[in-house]
Amino acid sequence: MWAILSIRVENKPGILFKVTHLFRARNFNIDSISVGVMENPEFSKMVITTVGTEKQIAQIVKQLDKMIDTIEVKRLDEKESVYKELALFKVKLSDASDSAEINKLANTFGAKIHNEQENSLIVELTSTPDEIKSFEESIKSFDILDSARTGVTAL
Amino acid sequence: MNDKMEIMNGGKALMKALEKEGVKEVFGLPGGANLPMYDELFKSNIRHILVRHEQSAAHMADGFGRVSRKPGVCFATSGPGATNLLTGIATAQADSAPMVAVTGQVPVNMIGRDAFQESDIIGMSNPSVKYAFQPRTVEEIPEVVKKGFYIAETGRPGPVLLDIPKDVQQNEAKVTFPEEVRMPGYHPWTDVDITNIERAINLLLSSEKPIILAGGGTIISSAFAELQSIAEMLMIPVVTTFKGKGSFPENHPLSLGPIGMHGHAEANKIMTEVDCVLAIGTRFSDRSVGTFEEFERNLKIIHMDVDPAEIGKNQTAQVAVVGDVKASLRVMLKILAKKALKKSDGNNWLKHVNEVKDYWRENLKLHPGEMSAAKILRKLREVLPKESIVTTEVGQHQMWASLFFDAIHPGTFFSSTGLGTMGWGFPAAIGAKVARPDVAVVDIAGDGSFNMTENSLATSVLEDIPVIVFLINNFSLGMVAQWQRTFYDRRMIGIDLKKCPDYVKLAESYGAQGIRAQSLDELGKAIKVGLNSDVATVIDIPIDPEEDVLPFVAPGTSLKDMILPS
Ligand SMILES: Cc1ncc(C[n+]2csc(CCOP(=O)(O)OP(=O)(O)O)c2C)c(N)n1
Ligand SMILES: [Mg+2]
């Protein structure tokens, strides 16, 4: 089972370390993680996606809640929340027609093109992990030189 | 506010903050990075108790904390001093003992540069502390001390680390001492959960074969009277976890003693028959319940605990009551009192429980020797006043203590049950004696364990903190030897301590008293000598190295698979 955890923490050094350490020490998995300061700079929001049994996920939530640095821990409902991830792919342009084809593909997924050069470009897609996966599958027929993902963030 | 501001250095701010928390003694050992705070300790009214190894300072603070239920305080320098504390900190964490450990650290501008005696103790200790602070300015010190004590002693207690850079101890600043601190992410107490208490009562009353399982949380929240009242009101038998030993008088007619790997035969037998358990302040450790799946089969569990994360971690509860167990039990008692229950002491379940108990109390086969574990520990019980405090080391002697030494007075039995730290018992006994100088304190020890922290004899003698070491000497790492005899076809390796050292001479070399007891008569006399002595007494009691601890629930098996003496 896949779960999205939204964790509001005090914006202090060392907390990311403690949260990730908790996952390791308790034998839980981190699927993705994203962190940013909130509108009130006293707090940061961490969004962690994780995979486990129902019982494990309930236990992760409780252990995170128990941490003194966490203010609020929520498990977000996939259906009722917005969850997105940003992915960047650097793609090689081998043929003259590649650029047009990639642009077309990007259009259908709502992705943006950046840094177009003679032999490469960067595609940016903000979407759900599933959509990003299928975009990745489609673009695989071109040569992916490099890629990076931010991890899921959610509200 | 401003009028309360005072100019002082960080070391002095620390001492003042500790004094405000009521600290009267600290256990420690100085070094380069904590010299400034030691200089202020010198000028303060706090007593310093010098140890010979920082691990022992942590265990002393732990023993002090478990007995007084106020955090014990230990001091160590940076680097090796701090890492030496770690075993003690982890031990306190595993057994939810309140402690405040204060370490020196290299100056702020040296952190991260691999300075001399720098270690990242905040990072190293992270999984083993309840919380850790590293104040970077003098002004923060009063607040982190206040927060540290509050965290250590509230909710589920635990160790807190204060790692203070040397310059922060030395620098002067205007400081204020807050009366209150704010921690938005820390909620140690919850309201009493009446709805679930009512559900728990209904479940308990509708069950046919109920039992109460009292864990260490019962002792930590000192719910002794409440536990006893509920058991007597409902006439429900009581078993404990090993850590819960001492939560219920073991000479009480409803007491069956500890369950678990080396639980009482009657307790383990009955545990496999019950249909409902009221579990109070326990994490259902594997050492207590055997395999998790087997334990919860056919069993309805009511789980009371102060720590919400314990609910459902190891066992699935039908009813969970989160909150301080003493408060919850009080409410439970009130509701029960209104129900005007018929006393059912004639019920068949209790009759059956008593038959099983009587059978095993009479028929459990014991080692035949005069100095068998059962006989020497029963002798200790006979001679020792019942309010005396007992600590143990880790090994066979510890499990024999669980089996054959009845804890009668509430909260008089303490052991490293979670981490199983050899060497804990003796320094913890010293810490306990500092907390309770009015009662006798005895460490039920094994030779291997005592060997690990025996240099605390120096502390005991020089600081005038007399305790008794009841040394059950099998000249070996007996528990490991038992596993090699049982599971490894007697391929004995790494267990023979070869009668080295001579513990009587060792005690004497520290200025303590060493007595060898080779008969029950000598033993009784030696205990009395120890009780009346004003120095530490080591009673060396040679026993048969082949004696096993039985019953035994082998690891990875369930309580019903208990191995009995043949
Ligand atoms: C620090 C530490 N190291 C190793 C162990 C593993 N261990 C558990 S019991 C035991 C033997 C303890 O020997 P002793 O104190 O003489 O007790 P006995 O079993 O002989 O009564 C050992 C080595 C441990 N629990 N703690
Ligand atoms: Mg031994």
Side-chain angles (χ1 to χ4, degrees), chain B residues 238-301:
Chain B
V238 179
V239 293
T240 68
T241 62
F242 179 47
K243 181 138 192 280
K245 189 178 171 80
S247 60
F248 191 73
E250 292 188 296
N251 60 351
H252 191 285
L254 288 170
S255 169
L256 294 173
I259 57 165
M261 180 171 276
H262 292 294
H264 291 192
E266 56 271 29
N268 281 345
K269 285 276 180 200
I270 289 298
M271 203 61 225
T272 62
E273 295 182 30
V274 301
D275 61 358
C276 179
V277 56
L278 170 60
I280 307 168
T282 171
R283 64 164 167 261
F284 298 98
S285 131
D286 52 293
R287 279 292 192 268
S288 294
V289 305
T291 48
F292 295 143
E293 298 73 22
E294 187 60 36
F295 185 81
E296 64 188 13
R297 183 174 300 172
N298 310 324
L299 187 60
K300 293 205 163 60
I301 295 176

Side-chain angles (χ1 to χ4, degrees), chain B residues 63 142 322 387 509:
Chain B
V322 173
E387 60 280 2
S509 81

Side-chain angles (χ1 to χ4, degrees), chain A residues 10 12 17-18 21 26 42 55 59 62-63 66-71, chain B residues 123 126-127 131 151 156 182 184-186 307-309 311-313 316:
Chain A
E10 290 191 56
K12 289 194 301 200
F17 160 73
K18 289 197 238 178
H21 199 149
R26 297 255 169 212
E42 259 184 62
K55 198 175 162 170
Q59 181 57 207
K62 284 182 184 171
Q63 292 293 348
K66 180 168 153 179
M67 279 185 60
I68 292 171
D69 299 304
T70 59
I71 311 293
Chain B
N126 176 57
Y131 204 76
I151 291 170
R156 181 178 187 165
R182 205 179 67 94
Y186 184 54
D307 180 356
I311 310 296
K313 186 177 85 182
T316 313

Side-chain angles (χ1 to χ4, degrees), chain A residues 66 68, chain B residues 58 61-66 69-74 86 88-102 125-133 144-162 186 188-189 220-221 243 283 306-307:
Chain A
K66 180 168 153 179
I68 292 171
Chain B
D62 178 345
F64 177 94
R66 291 193 205 198
R69 283 186 271 110
K70 299 289 287 169
V73 182
C74 53
L86 274 179
I89 291 173
T91 304
Q93 170 81 343
D95 280 344
S96 312
M99 175 195 292
V100 172
V102 185
S125 66
N126 176 57
S128 299
V129 292
K130 191 168 169 189
Y131 204 76
F133 294 93
V144 299
V145 172
K146 183 119 193 125
K147 283 183 176 173
F149 274 77
Y150 182 63
I151 291 170
E153 69 192 357
T154 49
R156 181 178 187 165
V160 168
L161 174 69
L162 309 180
Y186 184 54
W189 310 121
I220 291 172
S221 88
K243 181 138 192 280
R283 64 164 167 261
V306 72
D307 180 356

Side-chain angles (χ1 to χ4, degrees), chain A residues 32 83-87 125-129 132 149-153:
Chain A
S32 82
Y83 59 102
K84 299 280 180 195
E85 178 172 14
L86 188 148
L125 176 62
T126 301
S127 192
T128 62
I132 291 174
R149 292 166 71 155
T150 58
V152 172
T153 190

Side-chain angles (χ1 to χ4, degrees), chain B residues 119-235:
Chain B
S119 65
D120 173 21
I121 197 66
I122 296 280
M124 287 183 196
S125 66
N126 176 57
S128 299
V129 292
K130 191 168 169 189
Y131 204 76
F133 294 93
Q134 190 181 65
R136 297 293 183 102
T137 61
V138 179
E139 290 87 339
E140 288 167 67
I141 287 181
E143 181 175 323
V144 299
V145 172
K146 183 119 193 125
K147 283 183 176 173
F149 274 77
Y150 182 63
I151 291 170
E153 69 192 357
T154 49
R156 181 178 187 165
V160 168
L161 174 69
L162 309 180
D163 187 39
I164 310 183
K166 188 170 183 178
D167 52 335
V168 178
Q169 302 166 40
Q170 264 163 339
N171 293 345
E172 290 203 340
K174 274 188 191 161
V175 294
T176 50
F177 292 84
E179 295 301 324
E180 266 173 35
V181 285
R182 205 179 67 94
M183 278 176 285
Y186 184 54
H187 312 284
W189 310 121
T190 42
D191 293 338
V192 173
D193 182 352
I194 299 186
T195 318
N196 276 311
I197 291 175
E198 273 171 346
R199 289 179 59 210
I201 290 174
N202 292 339
L203 190 59
L204 205 56
L205 293 181
S206 64
S207 66
E208 281 165 18
K209 302 179 205 169
I211 203 151
I212 295 174
L213 170 62
T218 323
I219 298 172
I220 291 172
S221 88
S222 73
F224 308 106
E226 292 78 7
L227 167 64
Q228 193 168 336
S229 301
I230 290 205
E232 286 171 356
M233 183 183 270
L234 301 176
M235 291 306 280

Side-chain angles (χ1 to χ4, degrees), chain B residues 290-332:
Chain B
T291 48
F292 295 143
E293 298 73 22
E294 187 60 36
F295 185 81
E296 64 188 13
R297 183 174 300 172
N298 310 324
L299 187 60
K300 293 205 163 60
I301 295 176
I302 300 161
H303 193 179
M304 286 187 167
D305 207 288
V306 72
D307 180 356
E310 283 309 332
I311 310 296
K313 186 177 85 182
N314 291 344
Q315 296 289 304
T316 313
Q318 270 66 36
V319 180
V321 183
V322 173
D324 173 42
V325 297
K326 187 186 181 90
S328 298
L329 288 175
R330 280 202 171 164
V331 170
M332 190 175 223

